Amino acid sequence: MTASAPAKAESGWKRRWPFIKKILTYVFFILVAGLLIGLARNVDWNEVYNTLRNYNAKTLWMAGAAAFASYVVYCFFDVLGRQYAKHNLPIRQILPVTFVCYAFNLNLSAWVGGIALRFRLYSRFGLKPAQITRVFTMSVLTNWLGYIWLAGLIFVLGWITPPDSWEIGHTALRVLGGAMLAFAVVYLWACGFSKRRHWTIRKHEIHLPSLRLAVVQMLLGATNWSLMALVVYFMLSQKAPYPEVLGILMISSIAGVVAHIPAGLGVIEAVFVAALADDMSKGAIVGGLIGYRVVYFLVPLFFATIVYVVLEAGAKKLRSRQDSTTKPETEEQAEEQPRTAT
């Protein structure tokens, strides 16, 4: 009786949790929607238009170069996954696949770009589902481990001062940053010194990488986030300090993930407007972030669509070659079988 009561309570909580989670998501979505409606009403859209129209070539080239560098860095996330998943796919095939997945991930959600396209493209190049899962796991870990220690450092150093309208204060943000840095240190310690190297969670095996690989993960992930912020910094015409832009991007990205809105559309803008209201006009901020979305989201998506078509065509030719080489063998085997029987 005593042992079964906690088990029943736990199972009841597990049954209710998906429903509670759904309610919390809807509440958060409603709050974000209200915030966006208020933002849209208070923005001078003529100023937004003028901001976009007045960009000079130098600003666009610098933002484009930072975006290109960010995508190059992210493409090497899956190159790390090559060692982690123990496959021999050449880097020249890994890089375009990762580029396509990242561009679609940013614009259409992780389910489309991060998972569906990865499984489709990598499976066409011969990787097994378990290997693709490991590659995806390494990519996600690299991204968020870089985020955790970089954001933690920014919060601890006080590079961003929360506005008075935010519920979280400066001290709370520093405490959160300290916890994030502690998590990063624990992860590095586990990768370097833990005797247990793998766990099974819901029938999925998670293996700890080496300490060297973990350090590279954190450096690559943080570099990618830093380059993303550099694009925003250029598109805001360098009117806000770069460390502050980086810190606000880190906070707004989490808000976008929680809201489950593809590309964090509107959420990032709302956070930036709230944080930079004393330094820049709302129209200039929104205009800069629209420019950021064009440079970092839409332009790469256009090229990623072309690369995806090319990858599909290449995979189709590869499959037809494999079929043509295996077909004669099966025909010869079919002819030899009756002879052996007689």
Side-chain angles (χ1 to χ4, degrees), residues 4-114:
S4 61
K8 288 182 179 179
E10 184 179 357
S11 62
W13 171 252
K14 287 183 177 180
R15 286 197 304 269
R16 294 188 186 95
W17 172 243
F19 179 70
I20 296 173
K21 184 179 178 182
K22 186 179 293 186
I23 291 177
L24 292 175
T25 301
Y26 286 149
V27 170
F28 185 82
F29 186 81
I30 292 171
L31 291 174
V32 169
L35 184 63
L36 295 180
I37 292 172
L39 173 63
R41 288 178 177 177
N42 296 324
V43 168
D44 184 355
W45 291 102
N46 287 326
E47 186 180 9
V48 173
Y49 173 74
N50 290 329
T51 300
L52 294 171
R53 187 181 62 179
N54 293 329
Y55 279 123
N56 56 45
K58 181 180 178 181
T59 298
L60 295 177
W61 275 111
M62 289 190 299
F68 177 80
S70 173
Y71 271 81
V72 170
V73 169
Y74 187 92
C75 285
F76 278 90
F77 288 11
D78 280 23
V79 176
L80 291 183
R82 179 190 185 192
Q83 178 182 347
Y84 185 65
K86 297 179 181 178
H87 68 77
N88 296 319
L89 203 65
I91 294 178
R92 59 181 172 81
Q93 291 180 335
I94 297 174
L95 296 182
V97 170
T98 315
F99 167 66
V100 169
C101 293
Y102 186 44
F104 277 84
N105 183 7
L106 288 176
N107 288 275
L108 301 176
S109 80
W111 287 104
V112 176

Side-chain angles (χ1 to χ4, degrees), residues 90-261:
I91 294 178
R92 59 181 172 81
Q93 291 180 335
I94 297 174
L95 296 182
V97 170
T98 315
F99 167 66
V100 169
C101 293
Y102 186 44
F104 277 84
N105 183 7
L106 288 176
N107 288 275
L108 301 176
S109 80
W111 287 104
V112 176
I115 300 176
L117 278 180
R118 257 194 183 87
F119 271 86
R120 178 176 179 82
L121 293 174
Y122 277 132
S123 62
R124 286 175 172 262
F125 285 118
L127 295 192
K128 299 177 182 178
Q131 292 175 316
I132 301 172
T133 301
R134 282 196 173 190
V135 170
F136 172 70
T137 302
M138 174 58 65
S139 178
V140 172
L141 283 175
T142 302
N143 181 61
W144 289 110
L145 285 170
Y147 176 94
I148 286 171
W149 84 261
L150 182 60
L153 183 64
I154 292 169
F155 298 161
V156 167
L157 294 177
W159 285 3
I160 176 174
T161 302
D164 295 334
S165 58
W166 291 11
E167 293 186 4
I168 186 170
H170 200 270
T171 302
L173 205 59
R174 283 179 180 266
V175 172
L176 177 62
M180 296 169 76
L181 287 176
F183 177 86
V185 171
V186 170
Y187 176 76
L188 288 175
W189 177 88
C191 292
F193 305 104
S194 176
K195 294 181 180 179
R196 185 176 178 181
R197 306 303 299 177
H198 66 88
W199 291 263
T200 302
I201 301 176
R202 294 185 178 181
K203 299 181 180 179
H204 294 287
E205 286 193 359
I206 298 177
H207 294 258
L208 279 177
S210 64
L211 177 60
R212 179 182 178 183
L213 188 58
V215 171
V216 176
Q217 275 185 283
M218 290 189 168
L219 291 177
L220 277 180
T223 302
N224 184 49
W225 283 101
S226 300
L227 289 168
M228 286 174 62
L230 192 60
V231 179
V232 181
Y233 173 69
F234 287 138
M235 297 309 292
L236 291 176
S237 301
Q238 306 177 42
K239 293 180 180 179
Y242 172 75
E244 188 175 5
V245 171
L246 178 58
I248 298 171
L249 179 67
M250 308 299 266
I251 294 176
S252 63
S253 297
I254 283 294
V257 170
V258 174
H260 295 292
I261 299 175

Side-chain angles (χ1 to χ4, degrees), residues 318-334:
L318 180 63
R319 193 170 61 253
S320 62
R321 289 176 186 172
Q322 291 174 345
D323 292 341
S324 63
T325 54
T326 56
K327 190 174 180 180
E329 295 179 359
T330 55
E331 288 178 352
E332 289 176 3
Q333 291 174 357

